[in-house]
Amino acid sequence: METNEAGEAWDVLGDRSRRAIVTRLAERPWAVGELADELPISRPAVSQHLRVLKSAGLVDDEVHGTRRVYRLNPAGVAALRDQLDTFWRRALAGYQDLLPADRQPSETEPEESS
Amino acid sequence: METNEAGEAWDVLGDRSRRAIVTRLAERPWAVGELADELPISRPAVSQHLRVLKSAGLVDDEVHGTRRVYRLNPAGVAALRDQLDTFWRRALAGYQDLLPADRQPSETEPEESS
DNA sequence: GAGATCGGTAAGTTGTAGCTTACGGTTCGT
DNA sequence: ACGAACCGTAAGCTACAACTTACCGATCTC
């Protein structure tokens, strides 16, 4: 089964709010209140999402006075993308030639001749 | 906002059962009853998931007598992967050097000194 | 044609993820 | 030291997606 390792990746980024947070954090580090001001959810909701993201290793936090600044954790991001990549590679083993990033110059598209 | 286009991809594959179905369909075409026999959910549940997958363009169905055989739609799979790839590229614009499958030798590689 | 097989759909239930409000702790400013 | 700013956590609510049961149509077999 694949759900144990790769499932977490889907679960973490399966939420719209968390994806929005990750998108913001990719630009620059953000404080919790700043994120809550940008997003259509309350500050505690942001806090809870950040806890999920942190437990998944996607973000790191740094205390600056009363503020807590979150930033992306590059290693965690890479690991998560690896998990998703593993899913694609394993689940779609017979369709690897369709991976867009891996497109080879030979344009032999597998056409099912039914 | 990115959720409009790429959000559907996450929503479709955000479900464990649907990922399991896609994994099975990557091996070979399956009938609905066969899938339901493999998975820990009922046949109607499988049917509903297949409807979602079909409306997303991920699978195609073919009627063989009383049986309905589902198979992966390569174009839809590629499109879905493109959507996810777009998310990673846009959301993590500053972390492209961490994409495992995309390593380009021509680009300057800022190796992380951990 | 009758029964059996296969699968889609409707209707209803339920578990849970996400959200809000309320509260408490910590740190900074004055 | 006192109030303000900032944030985490607890508790509770709600909406929704996933699931089940029940029913029906379509197709094959005999």
Side-chain angles (χ1 to χ4, degrees):
Chain A
M1 296 304 173
E2 31 71 34
T3 41
N4 255 353
E5 34 190 57
E8 189 182 1
W10 290 103
D11 290 341
V12 170
L13 285 185
D15 181 71
R16 286 168 168 266
S17 298
R18 281 196 284 271
R19 288 199 301 272
I21 290 176
V22 169
T23 302
R24 301 301 187 290
L25 290 183
E27 308 170 359
R28 59 172 179 86
W30 289 68
V32 180
E34 291 175 336
L35 288 171
D37 187 62
E38 276 276 316
L39 302 173
I41 58 180
S42 68
R43 187 191 49 74
V46 174
S47 228
Q48 290 160 13
H49 284 306
L50 286 170
R51 175 167 49 178
V52 174
L53 290 173
K54 185 179 179 183
S55 80
L58 262 180
V59 301
D60 278 331
D61 58 335
E62 192 177 353
V63 176
H64 281 293
T66 68
R67 308 179 41 166
R68 187 173 283 255
V69 177
Y70 282 83
R71 68 181 67 231
L72 279 192
N73 179 3
V77 171
L80 196 82
R81 227 203 99 107
D82 265 339
Q83 289 182 21
L84 295 179
D85 235 50
T86 297
F87 168 79
W88 284 109
R89 228 176 286 277
R90 275 207 267 174
L92 310 178
Y95 296 88
Q96 282 183 353
D97 44 332
L98 290 172
L99 301 188
D102 272 6
R103 230 174 238 293
Q104 292 148 1
S106 62
E107 307 142 5
T108 49
E109 295 272 344
E111 197 76 26
E112 60 254 43
S113 53
S114 60
Chain B
M1 295 296 181
E2 29 67 39
T3 40
N4 254 353
E5 32 190 59
E8 190 183 358
W10 289 104
D11 290 340
V12 170
L13 286 184
D15 182 72
R16 287 168 169 264
S17 299
R18 282 198 282 272
R19 287 200 300 272
I21 290 177
V22 169
T23 302
R24 301 302 187 289
L25 291 183
E27 306 170 359
R28 59 173 178 85
W30 289 69
V32 179
E34 292 175 336
L35 287 170
D37 187 62
E38 276 276 317
L39 303 173
I41 57 179
S42 68
R43 187 190 49 73
V46 174
S47 228
Q48 292 160 11
H49 283 307
L50 286 171
R51 176 168 47 178
V52 174
L53 291 172
K54 186 180 177 183
S55 79
L58 261 180
V59 301
D60 279 330
D61 57 336
E62 193 177 353
V63 176
H64 283 292
T66 69
R67 306 177 40 157
R68 188 175 282 257
V69 178
Y70 281 84
R71 71 180 64 230
L72 277 192
N73 179 2
V77 170
L80 195 83
R81 227 202 101 107
D82 265 339
Q83 289 182 21
L84 295 179
D85 234 50
T86 296
F87 169 79
W88 283 109
R89 226 176 287 276
R90 275 207 266 174
L92 311 178
Y95 297 87
Q96 282 183 355
D97 47 325
L98 292 170
L99 303 188
D102 252 16
R103 270 191 194 280
Q104 292 158 354
S106 61
E107 284 293 327
T108 54
E109 295 224 15
E111 68 279 3
E112 62 265 39
S113 55
S114 61

